[in-house]
Amino acid sequence: MTVRIATAAESMECEMATMATGIAPRTLMERAGQAAAEAIVSRFPLGQWTQVTVATGPGNNGGDGWIVAGLLAARGYRVRVAEAVSARSPDAIGARDRALAACTDSPGSIVLEDNIGSSRLIVDALLGTGSTGTPQGKISPTIESINSAHAAGVWVVALDVPSGVNATNGSADGAIRADLTLAFGTLKRGHLTARDFCGEVLALDIGLTESPAMAALPTLIDTAWAQSHIPVIPWTAHKGTRKRLAVIGGGVGMAGAALLAGRGALRSGIGLLHLIVNRENIGPVHAGVPQALVSAWPEVASDTARVAESSDVIAIGPGLGRSDATRELVERVMLAFNGPLVLDADALNVFENDAASLATLIGNRLAILTPHPAELGRLLGTSVDDVLARRFDIGMELARSVGAVVLLKGTPTVVFVPGGERYVIASGTAALATGGSGDILTGVCATLLSQMSDAGEAAACSAFVHGRAAELCNGVRGITLDDVLEAMPAAWNENATELPAGVLAMLDARK
């Protein structure tokens, strides 16, 4: 099932669409509590984890917690419920009353407590997706107690979002740090921008109805989705069918950028690689990637024409340099070549505040732009802070204005398609937060763009595999881009893991 990424308001809209089909709010709450209880029992089996503390708040997230408490007691767990604030919403009050009434016949028990106590496992059901701002009142000291217990080795499971994490923007002032977050129905944007607070994240199926509201949300890309879209290289393939890529970059002092883009392409299955660099870099680049053809930047029209005629796709930008001469080179290549393009780094920077000219040059061809937030800000004439604050939406402005797919790099990466589709890629680690990482991604994108007919899907698959290769390095400190490149074959050929029943998606804890 496709997993969607929602704001708090969008999540509520999806729930309202489900309730419009005749599903009662209480039923949705019971589904969420049941799904969460099943996940907790699976991860923390009775016998090893006999006692659990559930911390509840006044709203429906607290109601979810009461349902979990009742179901765990029915399974034989000894449950302590620490009510930071008594249930206030009608559904939460009903859940509380039913859990306390049912526990008299349960093999386990429910005991009300004034504090967190000494359990080895705490379930956070204090605040839900509608909560914004720093937690206040009695909730705040309860969160402090839970975080102190967590620091001492107690496991913390959060229901929907860790209390204090803003589900929409990921702000987390005064928030709980969880080991496991159980998201209901959709993943929230805050799960992806506050990964350090969420720990491992499981998106649980609560039976939300497929609706226009759901279909309009961004799609999470996972291994199963990527593997179903990455084209198979047939046994009969040769270098021509695997396509010919020209990478134009590698200015003075920046030969490494072109080298990394080329290595990324070779690790992705390109058939023929042509690296076109500043003349003084030809020797070092050829030595660094002996599999590639290497030549100097085209200086006259006939040179440019030869590059265009001998390429199925061109990637421009890695280490190109930013100058009037760079802009002239980019324009000349784009005018001479009518095929698919990937534009990165300085090939984007030379169009600062001039996206209209870029749109004219792109025309109707397949194209992928791969800006980081600062580069996107330059193209749109806005600040990095604005880009980050609107990272799930802002790229669509550029995608539609220039008629190209926009791959906005970051945590998470978001791909915007002019037709309106959005793909979110949560794979990757901070090992990619280093110079040259984006150059590798450029090579990956260009390879898939040459072999696929859908630029948005090519960009999404490229970003996912790039991030997954970093995850397979099993760490951050001490990992280099050479390690990421070495891990790419495993990332390309990885089989999707079957998820547990009722689990829609799984995000590993940040390392």
Side-chain angles (χ1 to χ4, degrees), residues 297-309 328 332-333 336-337:
W297 290 338
E299 297 178 354
V300 296
S302 59
D303 294 337
T304 309
R306 277 193 293 272
V307 171
E309 291 167 2
E328 188 276 331
R332 181 154 42 88
V333 170
F337 178 67

Side-chain angles (χ1 to χ4, degrees), residues 181-192:
T181 297
L182 303 175
F184 299 140
T186 60
L187 286 174
K188 315 307 182 288
R189 293 184 180 189
H191 292 138
L192 305 179

Side-chain angles (χ1 to χ4, degrees), residues 70 73-76 98-109:
R75 295 291 189 94
R98 288 191 298 275
L100 290 174
C103 77
T104 56
D105 298 323
S106 297
S109 60

